[in-house]
């Protein structure tokens, strides 16, 4: 006979083997991430163009993420993870996404281990974890660098749940402190996990079975809730902080903008549509626009939700997993159901990341019960479950490809949704950045036809007009944004650039001051302000503005180049040469940068070095076809 040690070893090997299968399948489904780029949709604001984050881990960066709301939400641990990624991998999107994927796989393995601990069933716990890892609704949380907060907060919340199960089974002080510690960390990564104390109460009911039928229900639930007082206090505090941060940044829509009845209707429809997408995950998009819900749609959605709730309630004692799984889904989604509307979306795939676990648990354990009672054949149920997982995996692999870059993402969104102003606006902005101005105009016009005051579309349309030199039209679009949001950073900055082009420097300066008051880390605004100050013969303030820009973004070519000019005018030739050289290091294929360095060296009477720099400028100009620069260089070389 095999002893306990042998059985334990076999049990561990089974866990490892199933874990490896789960990780391998997930890696296969997300293999296309290695070809992906940062998106021009939050990724630029979170990482790739953020003046602090893109510099990597530093004391300034750590202070920033812990003291400033990032994109209208305070989640310092997420910001810290982005800082660490930049330090380790630079601005390589596939590397950042690989970290997201690693967290996603870790979450699947944590779920696998958690439900095996709770249910003592390898088959059911593996199915729950595989459904979580491979369902297409979870692609958004993994394939989007900006959604690091989803995968990270869920990982920490699952660790808190593991710690809670350990505390229930062996209650000691240090175990409870570990629950609280992991929960605080999860909240610091993303405050959406404020619902975790309620989810732990559900686990108390089933499968931990900490309630007793013969005792008064209120007394039991009060005792279980009271022991989690610290967790509820933390949830409340972080909820208040989040709403305050989002409100201060204008991210929370006021009730006057959309009545409560409209929000309730959209919330009911969203709950029902998530269930539809769970079963039939086709037509998934990065953004689903809000719209008026028809009476038929609302009646059908309410019927589905009411019927499911009634069935789960009636069978709560005989089949407690149905009640727990359904409430898990409802409660986990509640913070983003739309009653407090942050953003313009009707729903979002990423919101289901933790919530769908409840449905997976209910379906998995109910199937196991039917098999145990002989109603379903075990082999047939296993085959059906694996076929479903296989289909979801294939759909996930397809869905991942849509996230390859900004253009593929929003073109797909336009294919599967209607009247999607966000997709048109973001696609237009991306096409404009690629220099495809005519195509950009088409999509920006479509966005504004759907939503006339869409700020991104207005800003991008203004930039498109500016690219054509149509300054008045550009300024008109920026002013339309400012009429609604006078402190809008990008609108003020872009308006300032146009005003500088048409010679209205005083007005431009006013807009830059507003932009910098709202966002002191806007390095490009500091550069523009320095240029205005230098043109107004305010040399010292200009130099200070350029230095501030370089403190924020040490790789700013414009700041180095213009600071060099200002320093040279001030007679500080040595420092000016340092910055001229830095420009050539940052953009070695810029012939003008080499020409400016050579001219500065010539004026400083360093003729040998100047001649060498002029020769380099000529070589670069001939290689890049810049004839005007090449002619000027030849003229300068002729003087030696």
């Amino acid at each position: 006979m095999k002893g306990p040690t042998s059985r334990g070893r076999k049990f561990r090997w089974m866990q490892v083997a199933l874990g490896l299968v789960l990780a391998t399948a997930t890696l296969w489904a997300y293999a296309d991430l290695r070809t992906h780029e940062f998106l021009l949709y939050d990724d630029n604001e979170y990482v790739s163009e953020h003046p602090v984050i893109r510099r990597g881990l530093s004391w300034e960066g750590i202070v920033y993420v812990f003291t400033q709301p990032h994109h209208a939400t305070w989640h310092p641990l997420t910001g810290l993870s982005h800082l660490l990624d930049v330090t380790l991998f630079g601005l390589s999107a596939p590397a950042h996404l690989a970290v997201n994927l690693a967290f996603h796989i870790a979450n699947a393995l944590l779920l696998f281990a958690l439900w095996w601990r709770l249910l003592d069933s390898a088959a059911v716990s593996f199915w729950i974890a595989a459904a979580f890892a491979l369902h297409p609704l979870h692609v958004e949380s993994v394939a989007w660098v900006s959604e690091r907060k989803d995968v990270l907060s869920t990982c920490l919340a699952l660790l808190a749940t593991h710690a809670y199960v350990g505390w229930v089974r062996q209650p000691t002080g240090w175990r409870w402190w570990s629950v609280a510690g992991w929960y605080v960390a999860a909240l610091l990564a993303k405050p959406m996990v404020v619902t975790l104390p309620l989810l732990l109460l559900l686990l108390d009911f089933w499968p931990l079975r900490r309630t007793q039928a013969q005792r008064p229900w209120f007394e039991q639930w009060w005792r279980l809730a009271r022991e989690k007082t610290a967790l509820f206090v933390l949830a409340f505090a972080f909820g208040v902080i989040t709403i305050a941060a989002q409100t201060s940044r204008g991210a929370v829509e006021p009730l006057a903008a959309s009545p409560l009845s409209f929000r309730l209707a959209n919330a009911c429809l969203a709950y029902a549509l998530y269930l539809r997408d769970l079963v039939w995950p086709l037509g998934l998009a990065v953004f689903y626009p809000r719209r008026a819900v028809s009476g038929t749609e609302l009646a059908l959605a309410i019927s589905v939700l009411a019927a499911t709730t009634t069935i789960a309630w009636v069978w709560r004692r005989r089949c407690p997993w149905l009640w727990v799984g359904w409430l898990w889904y409802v409660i986990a989604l509640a913070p983003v159901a739309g009653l407090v509307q942050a953003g313009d979306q009707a729903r979002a795939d990423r919101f289901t990341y933790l919530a769908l676990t409840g449905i997976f648990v209910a379906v998995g354990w109910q199937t196991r019960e039917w098999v145990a009672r002989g109603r379903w054949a075990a082999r047939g149920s296993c085959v059906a479950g694996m076929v479903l997982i296989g289909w979801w995996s294939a759909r996930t692999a397809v869905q991942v490809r849509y996230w390859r870059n900004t253009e593929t993402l929003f073109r797909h969104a336009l294919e599967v949704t209607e009247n999607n102003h966000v997709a048109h606006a973001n696609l237009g902005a991306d096409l404009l950045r690629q220099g495809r101005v005519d195509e950009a105009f088409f999509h920006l016009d479509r966005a504004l036809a759907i939503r006339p005051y869409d700020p991104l579309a207005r800003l991008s349309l203004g930039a498109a007009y500016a690219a054509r030199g149509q300054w008045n039209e550009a300024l008109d679009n920026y002013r339309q944004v400012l009429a609604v949001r006078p402190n809008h950073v990008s609108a003020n900055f872009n308006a300032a650039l146009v005003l500088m082009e048409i010679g209205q420097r005083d007005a431009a300066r006013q807009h830059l001051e507003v932009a910098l008051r709202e966002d002191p880390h806007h390095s490009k605004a500091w550069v523009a302000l320095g240029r205005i100050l230098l043109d107004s013969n305010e040399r010292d303030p200009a130099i200070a503005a350029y230095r501030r820009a370089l403190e924020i973004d040490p790789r700013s070519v414009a700041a180095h180049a213009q600071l060099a000019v200002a320093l040279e005018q001030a007679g500080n030739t040595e420092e000016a040469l340092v910055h001229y050289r830095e420009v050539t290091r940052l953009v070695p294929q810029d012939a003008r940068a080499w020409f400016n360095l050579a001219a500065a060296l010539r004026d400083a009477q360093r003729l040998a070095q100047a001649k060498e720099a002029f020769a380099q400028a000529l070589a670069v100009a001939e290689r890049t076809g810049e004839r005007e620069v090449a002619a000027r260089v030849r003229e300068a070389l002729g003087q030696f």
Side-chain angles (χ1 to χ4, degrees), residues 491-562:
N492 276 288
F493 174 68
N494 290 357
L497 296 182
V498 171
L499 290 165
M500 289 168 66
E501 289 290 341
I502 61 179
Q504 297 184 28
R505 288 187 174 81
D506 291 340
R509 182 170 179 173
Q510 292 175 7
H511 283 289
L512 289 172
E513 288 170 351
V514 172
L516 289 168
R517 184 172 63 246
E518 294 296 312
D519 182 9
H521 290 87
H522 199 308
S523 61
K524 293 180 180 179
W526 283 111
V527 173
L529 180 60
R531 178 178 158 192
I532 291 174
L533 292 169
L534 192 61
D535 290 345
S536 302
N537 293 319
E538 298 180 60
R539 188 179 298 129
D540 290 341
I543 290 173
Y546 292 137
R547 291 192 191 281
R548 177 62 183 138
L550 289 173
E551 287 176 9
I552 299 166
D553 184 6
R555 296 180 60 83
S556 172
V557 173
H560 280 294
Q562 294 183 39

Side-chain angles (χ1 to χ4, degrees), residues 478-492:
Y478 298 145
R479 283 174 172 162
Q480 288 192 52
V481 177
L482 293 171
V484 179
R485 298 173 60 183
N487 296 329
H488 195 287
V489 174
S490 296
N492 276 288

Side-chain angles (χ1 to χ4, degrees), residues 43-59:
D43 284 356
N44 54 326
E45 297 185 31
Y46 270 99
V47 180
S48 60
E49 296 176 13
H50 193 286
V52 177
I53 302 298
R54 71 193 308 271
R55 293 168 57 187
L57 200 60
S58 67
W59 179 248

Side-chain angles (χ1 to χ4, degrees), residues 296-550:
T296 302
E297 288 178 318
L298 182 58
L300 185 59
I302 291 175
S303 298
V304 169
L305 299 179
T308 308
T309 304
T310 301
I311 293 170
W313 169 256
V314 170
W315 287 3
R316 71 188 184 282
R317 297 198 183 280
R318 193 167 69 176
C319 303
W321 48 89
L322 297 180
W323 181 238
V324 169
W326 177 245
L327 283 186
W328 182 296
Y329 170 72
V330 172
I331 291 170
L333 274 176
V336 288
L339 298 183
V340 177
Q341 185 71 33
D344 197 29
Q345 70 284 334
R347 65 188 195 280
D349 295 352
R350 62 186 178 276
F351 295 162
T352 69
Y353 191 65
L354 182 60
L356 286 183
T357 303
I359 305 298
F360 297 146
V361 170
V363 171
W365 195 252
Q366 185 61 46
T367 302
R368 184 259 185 197
E369 286 294 302
W370 281 332
V371 169
R373 294 172 186 174
R375 296 184 183 179
W376 285 11
R379 185 172 299 176
S381 298
C382 182
V383 170
M386 290 302 102
V387 167
L388 185 59
I389 293 293
W391 182 62
W392 284 345
S393 302
R395 292 306 309 167
T396 290
V398 172
Q399 189 68 20
V400 168
R401 296 189 190 104
Y402 296 135
W403 287 81
R404 188 169 293 172
N405 55 53
T406 307
E407 184 173 352
T408 57
L409 181 65
F410 287 105
R411 287 198 185 279
H412 173 69
L414 291 174
E415 290 174 2
V416 298
T417 61
E418 297 178 352
N419 296 322
N420 197 328
H421 64 284
V422 168
H424 279 295
N426 281 276
L427 179 56
D430 183 59
L431 292 169
L432 181 63
R433 181 170 287 203
Q434 296 179 44
R436 296 153 66 180
V437 179
D438 291 339
E439 292 179 77
F441 265 108
F442 170 79
H443 287 286
L444 296 173
D445 285 339
R446 290 287 299 126
L448 292 170
I450 300 167
R451 185 68 61 87
Y453 297 103
D454 181 83
L456 175 61
R458 282 284 168 206
L459 288 170
S460 299
L461 189 60
Y465 278 120
R468 290 181 170 180
Q470 296 175 259
W471 308 119
N472 291 332
E473 290 82 354
L475 195 57
D476 178 64
N477 279 279
Y478 298 145
R479 283 174 172 162
Q480 288 192 52
V481 177
L482 293 171
V484 179
R485 298 173 60 183
N487 296 329
H488 195 287
V489 174
S490 296
N492 276 288
F493 174 68
N494 290 357
L497 296 182
V498 171
L499 290 165
M500 289 168 66
E501 289 290 341
I502 61 179
Q504 297 184 28
R505 288 187 174 81
D506 291 340
R509 182 170 179 173
Q510 292 175 7
H511 283 289
L512 289 172
E513 288 170 351
V514 172
L516 289 168
R517 184 172 63 246
E518 294 296 312
D519 182 9
H521 290 87
H522 199 308
S523 61
K524 293 180 180 179
W526 283 111
V527 173
L529 180 60
R531 178 178 158 192
I532 291 174
L533 292 169
L534 192 61
D535 290 345
S536 302
N537 293 319
E538 298 180 60
R539 188 179 298 129
D540 290 341
I543 290 173
Y546 292 137
R547 291 192 191 281
R548 177 62 183 138
L550 289 173

Side-chain angles (χ1 to χ4, degrees), residues 27-37 92-98 101 143 400-401 403-404:
L27 287 170
W28 172 84
Y30 285 90
D32 196 65
L33 290 180
R34 65 184 183 275
T35 66
H36 287 210
E37 305 170 5
S92 167
H96 289 245
L97 290 168
L101 181 56
V400 168
R401 296 189 190 104
W403 287 81
R404 188 169 293 172

